[in-house]
Structures are given as C-alpha cells and as structure tokens.
Amino acid sequence: MDEPASIADYDRTDKEWPSREAFVAQFSHRFLAMENIGVLLLDSDFRIVEISPMICGLFGGVRNSFIGLPADEWMRTIGVQSAPFGRELLRGGAFRDRALNWTGGQTNRRLMLDGETLLRDGETMGAFVLFRDVSHMLELEEQVRRSDRLKTIGQIAAGTAHEIRNPLTAIIGFMQLLNKTLSDREMEKERGYVGIVLAELDRVNGLVSEFLLLTKQKEAKLASMRVGHVLKEILPMIRNEALLHGVTVVYKAKNGAPPIMADRELLKQVFLNLGKNAIEAMGEGGTLTIRECHSPYDSGKIAVEFDDTGPGIPSEVLEKMFDPFFTTKQQGTGLGLSVCQRIVDDLGGGIEVSTSSEGARFAVWFPNPDGR
C-alpha cells in the first residue's frame, strides 16, 4: 500500500492511523508542555483561554485561577510593572522579539515575546502570545565574551607581570640586605621604614602572582569526583571564616548526584572564593546556604548554589563583577571572580548570578562526565 500523501489522508487510507484532529491535539498538548516556551491563548475579549505550565511556573500561580481573567488584569496580578503587550494585539498589532525582564524572588529571567492575532473569515477570534526564555542562551553568550576578554587581558598581564617581577625581585633582595645592615647597626627607626617597604613589596608580588593566574591555567588533573566530597573538605574552612562574621553556614547535599570530571584543587579554589565572598557580602550576621542541585537547564548536570542573605548586588555592579580588576573591596584586586570564571569555563561549566533585596545566589554548574 502506498503511503498517504498527507496527514489529512491518514484516516481515509488506514483506520489504524490517528485522525488529523488527533495529530493536532497531540501537538497542541506537547507544545503547551514545553519547558522553555510558554503559550498564552486569548479570546476576542482579551480573556485568557489557555495558559501553559511554563508561564504558570515562571510567574507563579495555578492555571485554573488564571483562566477567564483579562490578560491585562493577569499581568497586574503577577506584578509585571510595564505590560509588554495590550489589547491592540486584537486589532492586528502583531509583534516579534519583544523583550521582557522578569525578577521574582532570586529568579532573574530574560524573555522574548511573539504575539499574533487569530482571524477566521476576517473576524478576530482572539490572539496568542509566545514566551521564550532566553536567559540561559544570553548567559552563555556573556560567558563566551568574558572568556575572550580574559584571554586577551591574560596575555597582556602575563607579559607585564614578568617585566615587573624581574626588577621587583632585585628590589626585594636589596631591601632585605639593607634591613640586615640596619639591624646590625641597631637603627630600629630606619628598620621600621624598611619593614613597611618590604610589606608593600610583598603586596605587589602577590598582585603579580594573581596577574599570572589570568594566563593559561596550570594543567588540570581531571578525575571523576562528586562535588559533595569536595565541599565537605572545605566546609570547615568556610565555617571558620563564617564564625568571624557571625554567619551561619547551612549545607544541603544532593543524594545520588552524578559525578563530574574536574580538578579537585581548582574546584576547592572556586568554592572557597565564592563562599568567602558571600560571607563578606553579608557583613555581620546572616546565613550562607550551600546547596547541591541539578542544573535548571539540564537535569543530568550537577550544580552548586551559594545563597546569602545579604543586601543583594546593585545592577551596576552585577554587570561588571566578572570583569578583571573590578572590585568593590578596599583591599581587593578584582581578580578572584575572574579567576573562578576562568577555572569553571576551562572545566566546561558555567557560573550564573541572580540577586534580589533578600540576597544573592551564585550557581556553578558542571557538564556530564562524558562532556555532553
């Protein structure tokens, strides 16, 4: 028997094939259930006829409580400050790629909206709006840009650091000789001055060493490991730091989490830096929650989240915090987060940040051991 020419022929040629209506119904069901695309279906009175689980999950609420609501009232209910579309959509006001930034709790999402009017025999039946969550894609693009900047700055920093280190070594050596001579002559006042110079030279030397971290990382010793084991090794150090600031540390493990391929020492460096930053951001008091979980974009990937109860991160800082040499600390070098980002990027993972008035969250996710 020849295959049917189209879906419309299935129910005419073979009763075992589903009807056209069944195909359309199945497609509609699967389309509404998609995780990264949401659908809002409106009637000719601008009331919600159908709303997909993705939209309910993102903005909060239950489907049945939204059905029948006017779309503009629904947007006010969920707290959308500036409505991305209005009733002009029913009058043929279609749109494409309209941006909507949404913040709920510690969730920051970048959405792109497409709207279209539904017509039948020239009469308006209603309209639909598609919500596409492009947050992860934009974050990946930003990580690529940051990585490119780091490579360029790293090359410059490497040459500069080596040029500085050679005369610096000589200066430190002569200052140490001078310190010994002053000690032999019991010139304690002058020795105090030399001590200040040596301390500052040590700071410069440490800064040069951090410059060199921006260059090619040391060869990673990759091995299969569970992030929980690494976290447990450094938790005592994080808790000791927390005690100095009156901060409580809560650790939430993930049973059955898949292993990752990583370098244990480099991973410790990342986790310690993120933990210390979170503690310092809270000042005195607060809670740091370290949580193992699955990546929100791929349940097969493991993620580690650092949640603090600090004041959050201002938008102007959020945009620059991974840039090399940018810091809000008086004694900071602005290289800690840049180095962390470089390490995680080299391991094939990523770092994502979200913030609100209730605190900030740094999430580090890692790929599957097979690299997918």
Side-chain angles (χ1 to χ4, degrees), residues 98-116:
R98 186 168 292 179
L100 172 63
N101 294 315
W102 168 253
T103 300
Q106 288 192 332
T107 300
N108 298 297
R109 289 287 183 264
R110 173 79 168 182
L111 305 170
M112 301 301 290
L113 277 57
D114 298 333
E116 189 74 61

Side-chain angles (χ1 to χ4, degrees), residues 37-69:
I37 297 181
V39 182
L40 190 67
L41 187 61
L42 309 171
D43 65 14
S44 58
D45 292 323
F46 207 52
R47 295 182 179 276
I48 297 175
V49 176
E50 186 57 86
I51 185 170
S52 65
M54 178 268 198
I55 298 178
C56 293
L58 179 64
F59 295 105
V62 181
R63 171 186 174 275
N64 291 340
S65 65
F66 295 144
I67 299 298
L69 275 181

